[in-house]
């Protein structure tokens, strides 16, 4: 059963009155019919997308007190591939990514974090790569109002460095963030990407990171 309790977010200005759905995490204005309709549509699609009924054949690669990580490989049964596609669609929608065709679909590894409530609350999609370009630390003042446009244009080195594994997507359900789910997904990836070795943080690369992704990656790679 879902509660109708809603969290009021004071964004400091006219947005007072915005609510966040406690089930799907969407932030919307409850007093606005258009917004409400959008929410209802998103709500069902989203919760359906992250629902995990459990599979006959599942590859559990890590287990925790609050869930487990399941690995899906390209030749897995159709129901597993379908779930990965559904989750990726939700993630891409949230990230504003266009449908991107993976470079080597036969070598993609997808890690799903399944919560105790039987939901996919985290997803990591990885692929083999040969090189990556290091993100250079931001020049001071990048966050200043005048440079809002370059929110995603981190400066990259033009010297390629060898790498092994590219993280093309990492995502955690909004209501489950900051519980180390992303960290546990990357730890598991490093352990599982190549047989018999634990990848160093230098061997993995995040592709086109969002501001959230960059904050996470910076923290993860320094600890
Ligand atoms: N702001 C500041 N620090 C952060 C943030 C953040 N938003 N997210 C993570 N960190 C740092 C923190 O130091 C955190 O440790 P702490 O909570 O003890 O302080 C540490 O990273 C580990 O964080 P996790 O709890 O493991 O990260 P989480 O499970 O919350 O997931 C993620 C992080 C995946 C970036 C999540 O915020 C998310 O899904 N965001 C939206 C989707 C997105 O932008 N994904 C990245 C796209 S880039 C790409 O896919 C290559
Ligand atoms: Zn909702």
């Amino acid at each position: 059963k879902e509660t109708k309790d809603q969290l009021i977010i004071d964004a400091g200005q006219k947005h007072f009155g915005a609510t966040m759905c406690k089930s799907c995490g969407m932030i919307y204005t409850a007093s606005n019919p258009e917004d409400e309709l959008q929410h209802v549509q998103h709500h069902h699609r989203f919760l359906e997308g992250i629902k995990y009924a459990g599979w006959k054949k599942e590859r559990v690669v890590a287990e925790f007190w609050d869930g487990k990580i399941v690995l899906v490989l390209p030749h897995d049964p159709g129901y597993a591939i379908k779930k990965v596609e559904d989750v990726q669609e939700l993630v891409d929608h949230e990230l504003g990514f266009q449908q991107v065709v993976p470079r080597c679909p036969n070598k993609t590894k997808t890690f799903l974090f399944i919560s105790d409530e039987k939901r996919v609350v985290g997803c990591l999609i990885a692929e083999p790569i040969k090189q990556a370009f290091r993100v250079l630390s931001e020049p001071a003042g990048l966050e200043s109002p005048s440079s809002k446009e370059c929110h995603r244009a981190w400066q990259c080195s033009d010297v390629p460095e060898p790498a092994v594994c590219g993280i093309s997507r990492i995502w955690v359900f909004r209501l489950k963030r900051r519980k180390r789910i992303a960290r546990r997904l990357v730890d598991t990836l490093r352990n599982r990407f190549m047989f018999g070795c634990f990848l160093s943080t230098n061997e993995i690369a995040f592709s086109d990171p969002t501001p959230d992704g960059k904050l996470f990656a910076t923290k993860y790679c320094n600890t």
Side-chain angles (χ1 to χ4, degrees):
K1 295 277 155 339
E2 290 156 17
T3 37
K4 271 269 145 57
D5 290 2
Q6 284 157 336
L7 182 74
I8 306 247
I9 297 177
D10 184 359
Q13 340 123 12
K14 282 197 187 117
H15 297 297
F16 193 79
T19 51
M20 177 162 75
C21 174
K22 278 190 169 180
S23 309
C24 75
M26 181 172 164
I27 298 162
Y28 65 102
T29 314
S31 55
N32 178 332
E34 222 170 282
D35 247 33
E36 267 200 280
L37 180 66
Q38 255 200 341
H39 168 239
V40 170
Q41 286 166 345
H42 172 266
H43 188 96
H44 293 293
R45 211 170 70 98
F46 185 82
L47 292 180
E48 199 53 41
I50 66 168
K51 191 160 88 187
Y52 180 84
W55 299 332
K56 249 182 267 161
K57 268 170 61 180
E58 56 176 28
R59 201 178 288 104
V60 178
V61 289
E63 280 186 283
F64 305 99
W65 60 96
D66 55 347
K68 62 184 173 191
I69 296 177
V70 168
L71 169 61
V72 181
L73 298 177
H75 301 295
D76 279 353
Y79 52 78
I81 302 296
K82 174 77 165 58
K83 181 53 50 176
V84 164
E85 285 171 357
D86 288 354
V87 171
Q88 188 180 342
E89 200 184 309
L90 295 173
V91 172
D92 284 357
H93 181 76
E94 183 176 329
L95 292 175
F97 281 7
Q98 303 300 324
Q99 196 71 50
V100 198
V101 184
R103 263 158 294 183
C104 12
N106 285 327
K107 292 180 177 156
T108 305
K109 291 188 164 80
T110 305
F111 297 80
L112 300 177
F113 193 105
I114 314 292
S115 73
D116 286 341
E117 305 96 45
K118 290 188 178 292
R119 285 182 173 159
V120 179
V121 296
C123 172
L124 187 163
I125 304 177
E127 58 190 1
I129 54 170
K130 295 218 163 61
Q131 58 179 39
F133 299 89
R134 192 167 295 279
V135 175
L136 303 173
S137 47
E138 289 155 46
L142 189 75
E143 298 301 332
S144 72
S146 60
S147 56
K148 260 188 196 138
E149 324 69 63
C150 50
H151 232 48
R152 225 149 138 175
W154 318 108
Q155 258 191 296
C156 284
S157 150
D158 44 22
V159 186
E161 295 178 37
V164 174
C165 169
I167 297 179
S168 80
R169 302 282 189 297
I170 182 157
W171 168 89
V172 171
F173 177 30
R174 192 185 296 280
L175 301 177
K176 296 282 186 186
R177 288 186 192 158
R178 305 303 286 269
K179 296 179 193 296
R180 314 213 141 200
I181 290 178
R183 179 180 287 276
R184 287 180 273 166
L185 281 166
V186 181
D187 285 344
T188 307
L189 163 76
R190 289 168 65 193
N191 200 9
R192 277 285 174 159
F193 192 73
M194 264 168 75
F195 183 75
C197 66
F198 188 71
L199 296 181
S200 78
T201 52
N202 286 327
E203 291 170 306
I204 56 173
F206 294 78
S207 75
D208 191 19
T210 58
D212 269 355
K214 197 178 172 240
L215 285 165
F216 166 75
T218 309
K219 179 75 185 181
Y220 182 89
C221 293
N222 288 326
T223 48

